[in-house]
């Protein structure tokens, strides 16, 4: 029999792309331009294959001036631990994080909302492209809403298993004994949905490009996982990619 | 005058794509197949726009059997803090992480290698697609090597600023007062280069697909940042995207 883990939170990464986006406008044209003009190195251009909404850039460029003001560098003050303590603390933090597991059986025990709020605030300290903070965290506790989310995710996962991802993927996952059924999305008392913002809006309603939005949101997820783990003695967290 | 921060480490995300990759083989063919077969939802398919090497899948599928063995679920045991302590710890962790800054002026003071090793081990506890752990961390201390890395990065960044990323990007970054000059890559005593592995190899030399490799590596970067911050009182870290 499998033990029900004490974990209280399922982290669901829902990656929403192309919202409010004018589908193909200008894409093909810009592709050609980029290749001609940049001596493109594949490993650098790939950084922007995360739906960064670059083709929008040129269209609004004349209208949008928000970022023109200059910001002073801020002197940074600090204190530091002695070397032995740095080593000890880094070792302890490793041991704590090394106890995290991606679990499939999740407890239904409640967790204080203050803890949820603190871990989300912590995730929001992550660095992001041009400090655009391209993330939205949504906390869901309502059972009906959780169930609807489960149904959407299971429908997508079923397509993944049956046709989208191919036979190799199904084979690779086989030993992990996963499938598209996600009962734990009903069981967990709290779901944290994480959305990436492909772009934002400025105060005057203009589009604001969110550079490296996928990488930035994923880094925030890593910090969120660390925060969840850091305030526990040993429990673990399920990250649903 | 700007204060030199005490930070000892510059984290350099170098995203390497398509290494060992047969450039276009099969890409066009599979594109057509995927669209026909999957009723694709853009927000899900976008998850795999991170260079996941899917077109290789079909070619080796018959030869590669490593993942066939079944692995038992492992019961998970734990201990947990009382609610008040969970709240307090989550608050403290938020306050600690909230002190992290992306700095541009970095101290040249040495840092114990044990600390570097521990934070990298901690990053390696991150979840990853099908547990493929698609990351390589490279620690560089040699001054000549650091300088060569700086030259490569500055060359790429100069292309970003002058032509690749467009005028909007340059405008957006202007207030941050950054440019393509990265003196701190010479100054920092240690660079941690982070590479994503688009695929790996099995024991018998077959290719092993690394699903969601960009998201997975970025999550590991988030945990690495948390680990760097967790063993300090207040210093910060520069993440070079």
């Amino acid at each position: 029999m499998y033990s029900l883990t004490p974990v209280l939170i399922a982290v669901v990464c829902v990656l929403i792309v192309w919202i409010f986006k004018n589908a193909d406008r200008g894409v093909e044209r810009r592709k050609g331009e980029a290749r001609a003009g940049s001596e493109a190195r594949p490993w650098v251009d790939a950084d922007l294959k995360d739906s960064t909404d670059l083709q929008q850039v040129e269209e609004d460029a004349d209208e949008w001036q928000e970022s023109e003001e200059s910001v002073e560098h801020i002197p940074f003050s600090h204190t530091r631990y002695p070397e032995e303590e740095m080593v000890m603390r880094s070792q302890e933090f490793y041991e704590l994080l090394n106890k995290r597991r991606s679990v499939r059986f999740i407890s239904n025990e409640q967790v204080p909302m203050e803890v949820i709020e603190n871990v989300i605030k912590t995730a929001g300290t992550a660095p992001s492209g041009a400090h655009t903070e391209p993330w939205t965290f949504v906390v869901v506790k309502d059972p009906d809403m959780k169930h609807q989310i489960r149904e959407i995710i299971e429908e997508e996962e079923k397509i993944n298993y049956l046709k989208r991802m191919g036979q190799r993927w199904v084979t690779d996952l086989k030993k992990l004994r996963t499938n598209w059924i996600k009962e734990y999305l009903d069981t967990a008392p709290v779901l944290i949905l994480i959305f990436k913002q492909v772009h934002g809006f400025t105060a005057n309603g203009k589009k604001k490009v969110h550079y490296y939005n996928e990488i930035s949101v994923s880094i925030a997820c890593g910090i969120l996982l660390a925060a969840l783990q850091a305030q526990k003695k040993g429990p673990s967290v399920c990250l649903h990619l």
Side-chain angles (χ1 to χ4, degrees), chain A:
Chain A
M1 199 183 110
Y2 309 125
S3 73
L4 277 182
T5 71
V7 179
L8 300 164
I9 299 153
V11 178
V12 181
C13 283
V14 180
L15 301 172
I16 291 214
V17 184
W18 308 126
I19 293 176
F20 306 117
K21 187 171 177 308
N22 297 323
D24 288 315
R25 191 150 56 116
V27 174
E28 290 306 319
R29 183 172 48 79
R30 279 195 51 79
K31 261 188 195 165
E33 285 172 10
R35 202 154 300 169
S38 71
E39 303 169 22
R41 316 284 162 115
W43 58 89
V44 175
D45 287 352
D47 291 356
L48 282 171
K49 285 186 185 146
D50 67 346
S51 316
T52 296
D53 206 2
L54 275 188
Q55 70 270 24
Q56 196 61 33
V57 174
E58 309 300 327
E59 295 170 17
D60 300 342
D62 294 337
E63 312 170 59
W64 188 67
Q65 302 292 327
E66 191 191 57
S67 282
E68 292 291 338
E69 81 268 24
S70 187
V71 175
E72 287 300 302
H73 279 128
I74 299 167
F76 185 78
S77 61
H78 73 288
T79 52
R80 198 191 306 171
Y81 292 113
E83 285 207 357
E84 306 71 42
E85 197 166 348
M86 288 174 68
V87 171
M88 194 196 68
R89 288 174 64 91
S90 65
Q91 178 68 27
E92 283 174 0
F93 194 72
Y94 163 63
E95 285 165 13
L96 177 67
L97 271 282
N98 197 31
K99 288 178 186 156
R100 191 199 54 76
R101 291 290 178 276
S102 296
V103 298
R104 314 292 174 195
F105 305 92
I106 292 180
S107 161
N108 62 358
E109 275 183 77
Q110 290 299 319
V111 61
M113 272 307 289
E114 276 178 271
V115 172
I116 303 293
E117 284 161 13
N118 281 332
V119 296
I120 290 174
K121 275 159 57 182
T122 309
T125 69
S128 56
H131 197 50
T132 48
E133 302 180 306
W135 40 66
T136 301
F137 295 91
V138 176
V139 175
V140 178
K141 300 181 78 173
D142 178 70
D144 290 341
M145 185 64 77
K146 283 193 299 173
H147 192 68
Q148 286 179 52
I149 290 164
R150 174 182 167 183
E151 284 178 347
I152 292 169
I153 290 176
E154 288 186 344
E155 188 191 347
E156 292 297 333
E157 277 283 83
K158 192 170 177 182
I159 295 171
N160 280 342
Y161 277 86
L162 297 185
K163 40 189 179 175
R164 186 185 286 126
M165 299 288 279
Q167 188 53 44
R168 168 71 68 90
W169 186 73
V170 174
T171 307
D172 283 2
L173 287 188
K174 198 175 174 186
K175 67 175 177 183
L176 302 177
R177 300 176 64 179
T178 61
N179 57 36
W180 61 82
I181 308 297
K182 312 284 181 193
E183 280 175 15
Y184 53 78
L185 295 175
D186 278 328
T187 315
V190 178
L191 303 182
I192 304 176
L193 310 187
I194 302 159
F195 296 83
K196 71 174 180 188
Q197 302 167 2
V198 175
H199 62 77
F201 292 99
T202 66
N204 60 7
K206 300 288 173 203
K207 278 198 178 181
K208 185 177 164 191
V209 183
H210 284 177
Y211 304 100
Y212 304 104
N213 53 68
E214 183 151 307
I215 291 176
S216 302
V217 172
S218 303
I219 289 172
C221 288
I223 293 179
L224 185 132
L225 288 177
L228 282 167
Q229 189 66 8
Q231 41 84 31
K232 296 170 190 166
K233 272 185 182 164
S236 55
V237 167
C238 181
L239 179 80
H240 177 76
L241 279 174

